[in-house]
Amino acid sequence: MKSQALEFHKALFEELDTSRLQQKFLSALLEMQNVERGSLWIAEDGGYRCIAAVGTQSADIAGYVIPKTAQSIVAWVIDNGRMTIAEAYKDKRHFREVEAGLDVKSTLILCYPLILRDGRVYGAVEIIDTAHGGSRLNLHKDYLELMEDLVAIGAIALGNALAFADKRDENEKLRRMIADLNVDTLIGQSDAFLAAQKSLRDYAKTDFPVLITGESGTGKELAAREIHRQSARRDGPFLVQNVSAIPETLLESELFGYRKGAFTGADKDKTGLFEAASGGTVFLDEIGDMALSLQARILRVIQQNEIKPLGGTGSKRVDVRIISATNKDLRQAIAAGTFREDLFYRLNVLPLPLPPLRERRDDIPLLLNYFLRRDAQRMGVAPKKCTPKALRRLTDHPWKGNIREMENLVRYLLATLPCDTIDDTDLPAAILSAPAPLPEPPRTPGDPGRPAAHAPAPEMCEQTWEEVERGYVLALLEKCRWNITQAASKAGVNRSTFDSRIKKLGIRKK
């Protein structure tokens, strides 16, 4: 008995995880009484909830709530603050409904109160004999008193652990509230922006996959966070993985996890992103860059809600919502054989195209003011304002880098300008030298839909936008002798953007 008591103390005071502590506490008591079923209950406003159960069909009992209005052994022990022994089907205090779905019923129940240091009773532990006539439980007076002492010690440890868990959950909720206050918000009033916002709100009400498309810098991750924040999963994790940021082999282990010994260096189990985000949302950015071998595994997650860690023998169920994003044309990638068509249709259940900044010029002044205020506050400097001239120039700017380009400009202006006003002459050369957008062609008085003069050449009108762009890019490359850096400079875009357009158009040097 002494060795059992020592093991009992070790089980309690060496365990820091609340759920594992509950299981160890309960299992140790059952072992001491040589029975196989038991349960832990705590008092709540609505009744008495089972927080842990051990034994056959214990999953049917864990989480069960006995109403406060119902008569039960748990309620009697908590109300009276003392131990009781009850013959299950003779004692009127036994709440039989809790065992309605169990194949094997209780015969004899030993129930102790869980008491804190200050004397408050917060729960009860049931030790249950299912043998015929309750023949297993040791009900000798001295043994029961020793059990009571051990339960008293365990009750204090368990009560402290539950209080700590409640405080941790409360702090986590507070942290998320603060994070929500500090998170960047989606700002705009243009028709294109408001249409995207409506889709975003509608999609947040569902649990279906969302595919966000748009140019680099249009705020795809911010839109994904907003969908998560407005959804029923808002209290769950929101985990992000940029698919193009790490090699394929490493990405697989990051997403699915691995078991110890799965490969050289795997000295312990690792939880993957999908498992860690269970109950929340996974955001897969740059999904168009994912290798075909991994695409098949992602398809299984969506179809079966299952993952299989590297080196694991079995599958695990996960509960995640997948939001993905890309700046590539996935239909073109399907045609090129680099993206699975079945995965595209699984991801594209709820499409969310984000408009580039040049298509929402009404939002540019709003965004500029927001970034100027936000970053000034972060830097601890006075906010700056744009003069009408500067604002006009910035509103007309093509913003090929979209919102990311605007953020970088604002930080540059806050860091370099000593005055509180930004004039057009203060803008960097990249802004001042950028070509202004083409003006709308003049309309005839009788036909507002048709330009009166300066119409494009007839042969150009017969081409698609992609054909015009392809011709321009090819001409530029030929002129620059296929020097991509030089061609990008002449086109007024950065090299990576120009290079991605070449690939998207399928242009290759002959």
Side-chain angles (χ1 to χ4, degrees):
M1 183 64 192
K2 286 183 179 178
S3 63
Q4 283 183 311
L6 181 62
E7 288 300 316
F8 182 84
H9 280 81
K10 286 177 68 179
L12 292 183
F13 295 104
E14 290 181 1
E15 185 56 69
L16 300 176
D17 181 81
T18 307
S19 60
R20 286 200 295 265
L21 174 61
Q22 294 166 4
Q23 291 290 326
K24 284 188 175 182
F25 174 45
L26 197 50
S27 297
L29 293 175
L30 299 188
E31 186 179 349
M32 291 172 68
Q33 275 290 359
N34 193 32
V35 294
E36 296 177 349
R37 182 182 293 172
S39 50
L40 285 169
W41 301 78
I42 58 170
E44 295 183 333
D45 291 339
Y48 307 96
R49 179 168 61 89
C50 179
I51 59 170
V54 171
T56 306
Q57 294 183 281
S58 57
D60 296 335
I61 302 171
Y64 192 98
V65 177
I66 300 174
K68 269 205 171 167
T69 54
Q71 194 175 41
S72 67
I73 295 167
V74 169
W76 188 92
V77 167
I78 292 174
D79 290 344
N80 290 275
R82 57 192 176 92
M83 179 270 285
T84 191
I85 302 168
E87 292 184 77
Y89 283 86
K90 290 182 182 178
D91 200 311
K92 292 181 179 178
R93 296 172 299 175
H94 180 45
F95 185 72
R96 291 173 176 79
E97 285 85 342
V98 74
E99 292 187 320
L102 303 185
D103 298 331
V104 180
K105 314 295 183 184
S106 305
T107 53
L108 195 61
I109 300 172
L110 174 62
C111 190
Y112 286 98
L114 300 175
I115 306 172
L116 295 173
R117 287 183 188 276
D118 60 7
R120 284 183 295 127
V121 181
Y122 68 90
V125 54
E126 283 192 329
I127 303 164
I128 299 167
D129 194 345
T130 58
H132 180 71
S135 57
R136 286 190 173 183
L137 278 175
N138 185 344
L139 301 181
H140 192 276
K141 183 175 179 293
D142 292 341
Y143 200 85
L144 291 179
E145 287 178 355
L146 179 58
M147 289 279 296
E148 191 167 13
D149 290 340
L150 293 175
V151 169
I153 296 169
I156 292 170
L158 185 59
N160 290 340
L162 289 169
F164 175 77
D166 286 344
K167 185 61 69 177
R168 183 189 59 208
D169 291 345
E170 186 181 326
N171 289 340
E172 178 61 18
K173 285 181 181 177
L174 183 60
R175 185 192 66 77
R176 286 178 183 163
M177 287 172 63
I178 293 169
D180 283 346
L181 290 174
N182 290 333
V183 76
D184 287 336
T185 53
L186 294 165
I187 294 171
Q189 61 184 11
S190 64
D191 291 343
F193 174 82
L194 294 176
Q197 275 283 73
K198 182 184 183 305
S199 296
L200 187 150
R201 288 193 301 271
D202 291 342
Y203 294 172
K205 298 171 187 174
T206 77
D207 232 9
F208 301 129
V210 179
L211 178 60
I212 305 174
T213 54
E215 297 176 6
S216 293
T218 49
K220 293 187 285 293
E221 182 177 337
L222 188 56
R225 286 185 183 277
E226 190 64 16
I227 291 172
H228 173 77
R229 193 184 69 82
Q230 293 188 30
S231 74
R233 295 175 175 267
R234 67 179 67 86
D235 292 328
F238 177 85
L239 301 184
V240 179
Q241 180 61 59
N242 187 317
V243 171
S244 65
I246 55 177
E248 177 188 344
T249 50
L250 182 57
L251 177 61
E252 187 174 13
S253 65
E254 284 295 312
L255 294 176
F256 298 96
Y258 54 78
R259 292 289 170 261
K260 182 179 178 180
F263 49 83
T264 304
D267 53 355
K268 61 180 179 180
D269 289 354
K270 175 183 170 62
T271 301
L273 197 74
F274 286 119
E275 187 178 352
S278 198
T281 304
V282 168
F283 175 57
L284 300 176
D285 200 7
E286 306 294 352
I287 191 74
D289 293 329
M290 179 175 282
L292 279 168
S293 57
L294 268 183
Q295 290 177 30
R297 298 198 65 183
I298 298 293
L299 189 64
R300 181 173 178 81
V301 177
I302 300 172
Q303 290 175 325
Q304 307 293 336
N305 293 321
E306 286 182 350
I307 60 162
K308 186 177 179 182
L310 295 175
T313 55
S315 297
K316 300 186 75 172
R317 299 282 294 178
V318 291
D319 172 28
V320 294
R321 180 185 198 170
I322 294 179
I323 300 177
S324 50
T326 183
N327 60 1
K328 292 187 173 181
D329 185 338
L330 291 186
R331 294 183 188 276
Q332 197 173 77
I334 292 168
T338 59
F339 202 84
R340 292 178 63 115
E341 188 173 17
D342 50 0
L343 178 58
F344 170 74
Y345 288 116
R346 288 287 184 177
L347 294 173
N348 198 40
V349 177
L350 301 176
L352 181 62
L354 294 184
L357 209 47
R358 63 182 174 274
E359 291 179 11
R360 42 182 295 212
R361 294 196 179 275
D362 292 348
D363 298 335
I364 290 174
L366 290 173
L367 287 163
L368 280 167
N369 287 330
Y370 169 74
F371 291 135
L372 284 167
R373 287 196 311 272
R374 184 199 69 178
D375 289 343
Q377 186 177 16
R378 289 178 179 177
M379 293 170 64
V381 299
K384 302 182 190 301
K385 290 185 178 180
C386 293
T387 64
K389 271 185 165 183
L391 196 57
R392 242 185 338 265
R393 186 74 196 220
L394 291 170
T395 303
D396 289 340
H397 183 64
W399 297 111
K400 293 174 182 177
N402 291 296
I403 293 171
R404 194 175 293 127
E405 182 186 353
M406 182 182 287
E407 286 184 294
N408 290 343
L409 171 67
V410 164
R411 289 164 186 166
Y412 167 81
L413 294 172
L414 289 172
T416 59
L417 293 184
C419 54
D420 294 339
T421 304
I422 302 166
D423 204 355
D424 61 335
T425 55
D426 298 320
L427 300 176
I431 299 288
L432 296 173
S433 61
L438 292 172
E440 282 289 317
R443 313 281 181 188
T444 60
D447 184 3
R450 183 174 298 167
H454 307 293
E459 61 270 22
M460 187 176 286
C461 292
E462 293 172 6
Q463 293 180 318
T464 65
W465 181 266
E466 186 172 318
E467 287 169 339
V468 172
E469 187 179 10
R470 182 190 298 274
Y472 169 73
V473 170
L474 280 169
L476 203 55
L477 286 168
E478 290 293 337
K479 184 176 181 179
C480 298
R481 297 184 180 181
W482 287 82
N483 184 318
I484 294 175
T485 303
Q486 189 178 348
S489 177
K490 286 186 178 294
V493 298
N494 60 51
R495 191 190 189 283
S496 61
T497 302
F498 192 79
D499 191 46
S500 70
R501 294 304 300 167
I502 292 172
K503 290 176 182 175
K504 187 173 181 180
L505 292 166
I507 293 173
R508 293 180 179 83
K509 186 175 180 181
K510 294 181 181 179

